[in-house]
Amino acid sequence: MDKTQSEVKPFPVTKPMVWSAYLKVKTKGKAYGVDEVSMKEFEQELKGNLYKIWNRLASGTYFPPAVREVEIPKKDGEMRKLGIPTIGDRIAQTVVKDYMEASIDKLFHENSYGYRPLKSAHQALAMARINVKQYDWVIDMDIKGFFDNISHELILKALDKVVEEKWVKMYCKRWLEMPVQKIDGTIVTKEGRGTPQGGVVSPLLANLFLHYAFDMWITKKYPEISFERYADDIILHCHTKVEAEEILLQITQRMEQCKLGLHPLKTKIVYCKDYKRKEPHKQVQFDFLGFSFQPRPSKDWLSGQVHNVFDLAISSPSQKKITEEFKTMKIHRDSTSTIEEIADRLYSKLQGWINYYGKFRKWDFFRVFRRLSYRLMLWVQNKYKFNSIREGYDWLRNYQKLHPNLFAHWSYGFKQ
């Protein structure tokens, strides 16, 4: 720490901490907050803006502005509300989040995977894949409106257990209580509950809350079961249906104690049905982190036989979301662009989907690219005035042979 800073400011926030936070925010989302200041505009006065954040954080005079509420569609057709902080507030939150995380993260349960250093959704999915082979039953747990209903009182109580610094707790309290600018422009204040999805510090506070509300409680009460948690997405593995029903009842009561509730329609008990497990049960499928676990045909390479196994692949809602993006791109109407220009526009998006959804059962994931191929075929027809679908696909196949790495999914092994 700079000696002058430590003598003048009461809180140990340094200029390098603010600079590091700015670099992290710069690489992430570019959405603007209530001040409508973009990253480009923020950087026009970068030195002064960062100094202001440091000065106020280090002196205790930083008060966050309201977050801007936006809505995005959820896979069930409902809308998810996000709270977008200003760029300056995202930097301030990152400073405090990084400071807290250095000591808090090591306390978390090994089965907590969401928004943690060195943890990932793929790790959670890989562990779930192992567990559905060892346990016959799953509790697919959905906390109703978790981020909207999380109790400020209980979060602050959890913070008291793990954070000694009063200034850290003070800023967390201010971020919990910061108002929300609704879509119609009205400003709404919080009433003791809720933390905005979209905030930088919110995932860490949510993990801390559920560490005590769920992880430690379930581990102590039912050490014989296993679970995966990614933020508020939670899957539990049980040996029998009776055990699953009893545990679900206990979880329901536990959530009520923590001022939360389970969604009655989305929370369900699932049977991991395969060629060996043949008990009758209506629910034999659950979704987790964009993948669907359900009975799927799999070839035994030793015997050559095909059996149903309980395994994961990209979920139907995830496939639908990707194909909807293909539609909105309107590739087939862009006859003025070259195929290289189209490939360049699509490459990073396609690569991102491949990196995430191609991790498990990639051949099931390939089906998504048939929709893209169809739209590329329409582009070929419009561009070169072909009359038949066959001519369009033949052109694509020949071009892929000459340029196999042009599109990300071609490099991945997809054939027309």
Side-chain angles (χ1 to χ4, degrees):
M1 189 194 329
D2 186 298
K3 194 170 182 180
T4 305
Q5 292 174 24
S6 67
E7 291 171 352
V8 176
K9 303 298 182 184
F11 301 151
V13 177
T14 66
K15 291 178 181 178
M17 289 164 66
V18 176
W19 178 256
S20 175
Y22 153 70
L23 293 177
K24 290 180 181 179
V25 171
K26 181 180 171 66
T27 63
K28 296 182 180 177
K30 295 179 174 60
Y32 60 85
V34 293
D35 59 1
E36 299 186 1
V37 173
S38 68
M39 178 59 78
K40 184 177 180 181
E41 291 169 320
F42 183 88
E43 289 178 331
Q44 288 175 0
E45 298 290 337
L46 182 60
K47 186 175 180 181
N49 285 330
L50 294 182
Y51 179 85
K52 187 188 298 182
I53 293 169
W54 164 75
N55 187 43
R56 292 179 179 177
L57 278 177
S59 63
T61 59
Y62 181 82
F63 288 88
V67 294
R68 180 174 66 92
E69 185 176 88
V70 298
E71 292 184 341
I72 59 171
K74 296 166 66 176
K75 63 183 180 182
D76 58 8
E78 296 179 5
M79 301 301 290
R80 185 190 305 278
K81 294 179 180 179
L82 299 182
I84 309 300
T86 64
I87 289 171
D89 191 48
R90 291 208 290 274
I91 294 170
Q93 288 192 43
T94 302
V95 170
V96 177
K97 188 268 293 185
D98 287 351
Y99 184 90
M100 282 196 297
E101 195 170 58
S103 58
I104 291 178
D105 185 77
K106 62 188 178 185
L107 303 175
F108 289 157
H109 197 284
E110 63 180 356
N111 292 355
S112 169
Y113 294 92
Y115 307 105
R116 295 183 58 193
L118 306 179
K119 291 280 192 174
S120 70
H122 283 157
Q123 290 174 338
L125 289 160
M127 183 53 65
R129 193 183 204 185
I130 292 170
N131 280 329
V132 295
K133 291 178 172 62
Q134 298 177 353
Y135 296 81
D136 291 356
W137 296 87
V138 158
I139 300 172
D140 182 7
M141 179 179 158
D142 187 284
I143 302 175
K144 189 175 181 180
F146 172 71
F147 282 91
D148 293 332
N149 295 308
I150 188 170
S151 165
H152 292 181
E153 177 191 359
L154 294 180
I155 288 182
L156 295 173
K157 188 177 179 180
L159 270 173
D160 276 337
K161 287 180 175 289
V162 297
V163 174
E164 294 182 0
E165 295 90 341
K166 291 182 179 180
W167 66 274
V168 172
K169 291 183 278 189
M170 177 188 73
Y171 282 131
C172 287
K173 188 173 187 291
R174 288 179 187 177
W175 278 310
L176 288 171
E177 295 173 348
M178 63 184 175
V180 177
Q181 184 186 70
K182 308 294 282 186
I183 294 173
D184 62 6
T186 58
I187 302 292
V188 177
T189 57
K190 297 283 184 62
E191 296 184 357
R193 63 178 186 169
T195 182
Q197 276 187 278
V200 176
V201 80
S202 295
L204 181 58
L205 294 179
N207 270 338
L208 180 61
F209 180 94
L210 286 171
H211 173 72
Y212 289 108
F214 180 79
D215 299 354
M216 293 297 96
W217 172 82
I218 198 75
T219 302
K220 184 177 179 180
K221 193 170 182 67
Y222 297 103
E224 71 278 6
I225 72 161
S226 188
F227 70 92
E228 296 84 38
R229 180 172 70 77
Y230 194 96
D232 61 323
D233 287 335
I234 307 173
I235 301 298
L236 298 95
H237 304 273
C238 306
H239 294 287
T240 67
K241 185 179 181 182
V242 171
E243 182 183 54
E245 290 170 340
E246 167 61 22
I247 291 174
L248 180 54
L249 178 62
Q250 293 296 319
I251 290 172
T252 302
Q253 294 173 0
R254 174 62 177 175
M255 290 298 106
E256 289 173 356
Q257 292 172 0
C258 297
K259 303 181 182 182
L260 294 169
L262 297 184
H263 196 294
L265 299 178
K266 297 178 183 177
T267 298
K268 59 188 179 183
I269 294 175
V270 178
Y271 183 49
C272 304
K273 188 174 183 179
D274 60 19
Y275 74 101
K276 292 181 180 178
R277 299 183 282 203
K278 300 178 180 179
E279 289 186 36
H281 191 73
K282 288 183 180 179
Q283 294 285 358
V284 293
Q285 178 266 330
F286 68 89
D287 287 357
F288 185 47
L289 302 178
F291 287 79
S292 176
F293 286 77
Q294 64 189 62
R296 299 180 185 278
S298 180
K299 186 175 183 180
D300 186 319
W301 297 108
L302 291 176
S303 66
Q305 293 183 313
V306 176
H307 296 296
N308 261 357
V309 298
F310 198 82
D311 203 5
L312 78 164
I314 182 174
S315 68
S316 294
S318 297
Q319 292 181 54
K320 184 178 179 181
K321 185 177 179 181
I322 293 173
T323 54
E324 286 296 322
E325 288 210 39
F326 291 152
K327 287 182 184 178
T328 59
M329 291 173 188
K330 297 180 180 179
I331 299 165
H332 59 292
R333 296 182 183 177
D334 188 14
S335 58
T336 59
S337 293
T338 65
I339 193 168
E340 286 79 10
E341 289 170 336
I342 292 174
D344 189 57
R345 285 205 304 270
L346 292 177
Y347 203 93
S348 62
K349 192 175 284 286
L350 292 176
Q351 192 62 58
W353 287 327
I354 289 167
N355 290 344
Y356 188 72
Y357 293 109
K359 182 73 173 179
F360 305 99
R361 291 181 70 102
K362 72 175 186 178
W363 301 110
D364 290 322
F365 175 49
F366 269 178
R367 287 195 293 267
V368 174
F369 294 129
R370 292 174 190 164
R371 304 292 182 92
L372 176 57
S373 284
Y374 176 71
R375 295 192 171 274
L376 287 173
M377 180 277 298
L378 292 177
W379 174 85
V380 172
Q381 280 189 317
N382 291 335
K383 180 83 171 177
Y384 300 107
K385 311 303 180 187
F386 291 150
N387 293 320
S388 71
I389 290 175
R390 181 175 178 179
E391 285 180 300
Y393 278 121
D394 284 345
W395 188 96
L396 279 176
R397 289 190 194 97
N398 290 331
Y399 208 86
Q400 184 176 359
K401 288 177 183 176
L402 294 172
H403 308 278
N405 298 318
L406 180 62
F407 285 90
H409 66 304
W410 289 4
S411 301
Y412 187 57
F414 177 82
K415 303 295 182 185
Q416 306 298 331

